Amino acid sequence: MSDPVFDEEQAHLSEVYAKLEAIRDSLTREIEVTHREAAQDLRDMSEEVRLNFSSADETMETLAAIETLNSVIDAYNQNHDFTVDKLRRTIALLAQPYFAKVRLQMRPGRPARDVYIGLAGVTDENRRPLIVDWRSPIAETYYNQQMGPTSYQVDGRTRNVSLELRRQFDITRDHLNGYFDTTVAIEDSLLLGALRRHHTEKLQAITATIQREQNEVVRHSDVPVLLVNGIAGSGKTSVLLQRIAFLFYGQRDTLRADQVVLLSPNDVFARYIDAVLPSLGESNPQIMTWREWVARLGLADRASGADVDAVSLRALEEGLPSLTLEEQDFRDVREGGLSMLKASSIAASVRKFERFGVGPKLMTLVREDLRSKLERRITQISKNDELQEEMLGLDVERQVEVFGETIAPSDERETDALARRYAEFLYGGARTQIDDASWLRFDRVGMRLTGGRPLSAAEYLYLKILVTGTGDDDVRYVMVDEVQDYTQTQLMVLASYFPRAHFLLLGDQHQAIVEGSASFGQIGQVFAQTHGSVEECRLLTSYRSSPEITELFCSLLPPEERVTLSSVQRPGVDPVIRECPSDAGGYLQVLRRIAEDAHAKEGLCAIVAQDGARANWIARQLGDLAPLVGKGDTLPKEGVVTLDLRLAKGLEFDSVIIPDAQAEVYPDEPLARRRLYTAVSRAMHEVTILSQGQMTPLLSPYLASRQGKRD
């Protein structure tokens, strides 16, 4: 039986698709024509440029011609990049032009307007929107999931409209597979379809299925610190990446990818998420672990300091006011093989301003004084006869590199001026050392404050920030995933090092599997001290795990929190919980059989061991059946793998086997409870829990409840 709505939507899709193909073809032709024209223009102009450095006038004329040629090239490149970007977005839309439509009553008495929403926006030949970008203000009406009167924000103003229709599409290129008219999340057919899919090697974008509570984070106002506390499987990482894409969209002309830092829990996780933003047409930010960040700052050879007590940092703060810098605390500033500033001269500058005490004000004044001394030192060097003779003997290529032109000084005054520029070229790099305070031995200073103990990377950075008042002022956003596994020390360093950045902190307080990590209350306190205010959001719905698995890991939570959590997955299979023989032979026989069964099924199964030693042992016993995943590895699409709990953080698998749920590994203690909660919640569809001997008491309430339901 014919469906007139389906036929109407298919006709619209066919029309839009034809226009997209026409836009693609037009842009392709434009690029080809531009390439030909650019090549011809450059050939013509290149023939007119004659490289002549025989005299100062000829050199200047040659350089001017080259500059003109470069400006033409830049103009072509700018136009080319714009056209290629538009072509890239158009080609991306050809795979799925759009995924949703809203019908909005913009003004009473006026015809309702249909708005089609896709991964990117595109206009037709009359500059009317064919498809709007999912990040555009008007698309907020789709994600609000509020039929009838609703609103969206445009340039800080609220636009009130009425949502008359919210329609989702299942589209493959120009073919409409189906449509769904939906109002609330539980009816979200696209979401449920996506959740039924199996694990993929890379995390996928959730653009079409962002739910209302997730959208509140994605489109949240740009605040100094946003702390998101979400249960396992609530899509925290996906929300984080969609948030980054949203920020890039709103600040297209001012925000660069290298101004966003994303701290990930491990390398496996970083590779798992690195395809999401490119799939949305955005560049990846700087993605790194804490250890990698420390290494980039030149501190790879130190202990990272992640486990250093925050008391140590406070001791540095408290000791600084009474600290006096000694002459042995300074080192020479050297550049180009010469000592530009002696340690004794630096000490004299510090003594001049020591009344201000050790801190940013002192360092600012000392830097200015040292810069003045450096200027005099460079001038002194420039008057050296040997340097001037060296300058006059430079070949033409080196002259152009140093001065931007060839030189032929006509008198002593001109020679002195050029020699000053040459000395600046050779030794001016010393300013970087002055500004970076590399002339101060922070380790020596710090050891006096710590009682002689060497500084970790965290302590070194924090001391340097306290003394100099400088960190990274260029980074504008710092995103921290799995923030519950960071210590107060790490967070204090990050908050101080990126003073101008806005922070998005995501985690689950119940997945804090590292001893000594900061509580959410402590996280809020750290950032309130440095950034003034902290806003919080909660994500309370699990989109990853089946209701049966969600019930299991929720049973490990405090009773008052269990009632607020839910799963939108369709019912699945009950968890398997089994005590195995305590002897290694009998235990491994059971584990191998279960792993073989998992290997025969579709999807990826993970054996999640409590620590690295246990994971290594299991992987050796099972061999090729369940290879070990290391820090440098990428997850396969299917099969069975073995990894430890810390590497499994943030990842998801079709099924999970917990091989070591015995009482001694998971005793009835808060940390063990959080670790078991984390391990169980990695599973999407099935979970099997094994113990080598007596089962952990943490599961007793769940088992009793399940038995009660059966009775």
Side-chain angles (χ1 to χ4, degrees):
M1 183 176 178
S2 177
D3 180 349
V5 173
F6 184 96
D7 295 341
E8 180 184 343
E9 292 292 2
Q10 177 62 70
H12 178 81
L13 173 60
S14 298
E15 180 183 349
V16 169
Y17 202 84
K19 290 182 178 180
L20 288 174
E21 289 183 315
I23 293 172
R24 176 200 60 193
D25 295 342
S26 174
L27 291 171
T28 302
R29 287 193 299 271
E30 181 180 338
I31 291 172
E32 291 172 350
V33 170
T34 301
H35 278 181
R36 287 197 299 270
E37 292 177 350
Q40 185 60 51
D41 286 349
L42 293 177
R43 279 195 297 270
D44 294 343
M45 294 182 68
S46 297
E47 291 174 0
E48 296 175 4
V49 175
R50 294 289 182 267
L51 300 181
N52 188 344
F53 300 103
S54 60
S55 68
D57 290 342
E58 293 292 347
T59 297
M60 292 302 295
E61 188 174 330
T62 298
L63 293 175
I66 293 174
E67 182 63 28
T68 300
L69 181 60
N70 286 338
S71 65
V72 172
I73 293 173
D74 289 342
Y76 272 121
N77 285 339
Q78 186 175 7
N79 180 66
H80 172 269
D81 291 345
F82 175 80
T83 307
V84 167
D85 182 64
K86 190 173 181 180
L87 177 60
R88 176 185 54 76
R89 285 186 281 115
T90 303
I91 291 174
L93 288 174
L94 286 170
Q96 183 190 34
Y98 45 82
F99 56 81
K101 161 185 166 179
V102 290
R103 180 168 294 157
L104 300 174
Q105 183 75 51
M106 308 300 290
R107 294 178 183 175
R110 299 284 296 273
R113 173 187 171 191
D114 286 347
V115 178
Y116 288 83
I117 303 169
L119 291 180
V122 66
T123 57
D124 62 16
E125 64 278 4
N126 298 315
R127 296 190 175 276
R128 289 178 299 197
L130 280 176
I131 304 163
V132 302
D133 193 293
W134 68 274
R135 296 163 290 188
S136 65
I138 200 170
E140 186 176 356
T141 58
Y142 167 75
Y143 293 110
N144 282 343
Q145 298 176 343
Q146 181 179 335
M147 302 301 293
T150 186
S151 63
Y152 61 94
Q153 298 288 319
V154 183
D155 297 328
R157 294 179 298 173
T158 300
R159 182 76 185 271
N160 294 308
V161 296
S162 178
L163 178 60
E164 297 186 352
L165 176 72
R166 181 179 184 270
R167 180 168 291 163
Q168 297 172 298
F169 300 106
D170 179 7
I171 290 174
T172 305
R173 301 186 68 82
D174 60 347
H175 180 70
L176 178 62
N177 303 314
Y179 71 91
F180 319 94
D181 290 347
T182 62
T183 56
V184 295
I186 199 65
E187 298 173 359
D188 193 330
S189 300
L190 281 186
L191 172 65
L192 296 174
L195 295 178
R196 283 194 293 270
R197 297 178 187 136
H198 288 283
H199 160 87
T200 54
E201 301 101 314
K202 299 284 187 178
L203 184 67
Q204 305 296 304
I206 62 168
T207 310
T209 58
I210 296 172
Q211 298 302 291
R212 186 168 185 172
E213 67 174 7
Q214 296 172 326
N215 187 56
E216 290 176 0
V217 178
V218 172
R219 295 174 183 265
H220 198 284
S221 56
D222 195 3
V223 295
V225 182
L226 181 59
L227 177 59
V228 179
N229 189 356
I231 69 164
S234 57
K236 294 182 293 296
T237 300
S238 294
V239 166
L240 180 155
L241 295 168
Q242 302 284 158
R243 170 70 171 174
I244 293 175
F246 181 77
L247 292 171
F248 280 144
Y249 177 83
Q251 304 174 61
R252 176 69 62 199
D253 298 327
T254 59
L255 181 62
R256 306 188 312 270
D258 64 352
Q259 291 178 308
V260 181
V261 172
L262 196 170
L263 290 170
S264 73
N266 55 63
D267 295 331
V268 175
F269 180 82
R271 280 186 291 278
Y272 180 55
I273 67 173
D274 64 12
V276 173
L277 286 168
S279 76
L280 298 174
E282 303 293 352
S283 299
N284 273 320
Q286 301 184 64
I287 304 177
M288 65 191 89
T289 63
W290 163 268
R291 169 55 77 180
E292 288 169 339
W293 177 65
V294 166
R296 291 190 188 190
L297 297 177
L299 303 173
D301 57 341
R302 297 173 184 263
S304 76
D307 56 351
V308 170
D309 196 298
V311 172
S312 175
L313 300 192
R314 296 191 183 99
L316 295 176
E317 293 177 11
E318 294 166 0
L320 205 61
S322 60
L323 180 69
T324 300
L325 296 178
E326 304 169 352
E327 188 157 334
Q328 292 78 14
D329 292 332
F330 310 112
R331 61 167 63 92
D332 289 2
V333 172
R334 301 185 63 83
E335 183 72 21
L338 292 182
S339 175
M340 303 303 294
L341 294 173
K342 294 287 188 182
S344 57
S345 177
I346 296 171
S349 294
V350 171
R351 285 195 297 272
K352 186 189 302 185
F353 304 107
E354 62 185 358
R355 65 185 180 279
F356 294 105
V358 179
K361 186 170 184 178
L362 170 72
M363 295 297 286
T364 298
L365 294 170
V366 170
R367 283 195 194 99
E368 292 175 358
D369 198 52
L370 294 181
R371 274 177 162 265
S372 297
K373 289 183 176 181
L374 179 64
E375 294 299 319
R376 294 194 294 271
R377 174 70 169 134
I378 291 176
T379 298
Q380 177 191 31
I381 293 173
S382 72
K383 297 183 181 301
N384 184 281
D385 291 341
E386 291 183 2
L387 181 130
Q388 293 193 4
E389 290 176 7
E390 178 183 311
M391 176 191 72
L392 295 173
L394 296 176
D395 59 30
V396 170
E397 184 177 347
R398 181 67 167 166
Q399 289 179 34
V400 172
E401 178 188 357
V402 175
F403 302 104
E405 59 184 355
T406 58
I407 60 172
S410 58
D411 54 33
E412 184 177 346
R413 182 178 178 181
E414 189 175 347
T415 299
D416 288 345
L418 289 170
R420 181 62 176 77
R421 290 173 61 187
Y422 185 47
E424 174 67 33
F425 178 84
L426 294 176
Y427 305 109
R431 287 191 191 85
T432 301
Q433 298 181 52
I434 291 175
D435 293 343
D436 192 45
S438 59
W439 41 269
L440 180 59
R441 300 179 186 272
F442 286 97
D443 276 306
R444 192 175 188 280
V445 173
M447 288 174 69
R448 293 210 300 279
L449 297 174
T450 60
R453 177 174 52 80
L455 298 181
S456 67
E459 292 168 309
Y460 182 94
L461 285 172
Y462 200 69
L463 176 61
K464 189 171 183 180
I465 294 166
L466 290 174
V467 172
T468 65
T470 59
D472 190 327
D473 291 334
D474 187 50
V475 168
R476 293 174 54 190
Y477 294 95
V478 177
M479 315 294 188
V480 183
D481 205 359
E482 305 291 348
V483 69
Q484 76 281 344
D485 285 332
Y486 283 71
T487 61
Q488 279 185 275
T489 293
Q490 290 174 292
L491 297 173
M492 288 170 68
V493 171
L494 290 171
S496 301
Y497 190 81
F498 298 105
R500 297 186 180 179
H502 284 191
F503 280 78
L504 175 59
L505 313 168
L506 299 98
D508 178 358
Q509 60 188 347
H510 303 298
Q511 291 189 64
I513 65 171
V514 178
E515 190 75 60
S517 58
S519 68
F520 267 61
Q522 291 170 329
I523 294 170
Q525 290 172 5
V526 167
F527 284 92
Q529 290 176 358
T530 57
H531 287 67
S533 63
V534 177
E535 295 194 22
E536 297 189 36
C537 290
R538 293 297 305 271
L539 298 175
L540 300 174
T541 304
S542 174
Y543 303 97
R544 173 192 298 146
S545 303
S546 67
E548 293 80 5
I549 296 172
T550 302
E551 179 186 6
L552 172 55
F553 68 69
C554 283
S555 73
L556 297 166
L557 300 179
E560 64 273 13
E561 293 202 27
R562 298 174 196 169
V563 296
T564 63
L565 309 181
S566 62
S567 168
V568 300
Q569 285 271 19
R570 297 301 191 201
V573 298
D574 285 335
V576 174
I577 301 174
R578 178 175 177 179
E579 286 188 356
C580 301
S582 57
D583 66 283
Y587 163 75
L588 286 172
Q589 186 177 5
V590 175
L591 177 58
R592 176 175 289 277
R593 184 168 63 250
I594 292 173
E596 288 172 344
D597 290 343
H599 198 280
K601 296 178 181 178
E602 187 177 356
L604 180 63
C605 173
I607 301 175
V608 180
Q610 192 260 352
D611 57 29
R614 183 74 174 184
N616 275 295
W617 181 79
I618 289 173
R620 287 197 303 271
Q621 304 308 311
L622 298 182
D624 293 340
L625 176 61
L628 184 70
V629 174
K631 290 183 178 180
D633 297 331
T634 299
L635 292 174
K637 183 177 181 180
E638 56 187 14
V640 181
V641 295
T642 304
L643 70 168
D644 68 80
L645 181 57
R646 293 193 68 165
L647 272 186
K649 286 297 296 291
L651 304 177
E652 61 185 23
F653 307 92
D654 293 293
S655 62
V656 165
I657 300 170
I658 299 172
D660 47 10
Q662 48 267 28
E664 58 267 28
V665 175
Y666 290 102
D668 191 357
E669 298 173 355
L671 181 60
R673 183 179 296 273
R674 295 195 297 269
R675 286 175 172 169
L676 185 57
Y677 166 94
T678 303
V680 171
S681 61
R682 301 307 92 204
M684 298 165 62
H685 307 302
E686 297 181 25
V687 64
T688 301
I689 301 178
L690 305 177
S691 67
Q692 187 177 356
Q694 184 180 2
M695 182 65 66
T696 171
L698 294 173
L699 294 177
S700 297
Y702 169 78
L703 292 171
S705 173
R706 191 164 75 170
Q707 185 61 44
K709 291 178 182 178
R710 290 173 179 171
D711 295 342

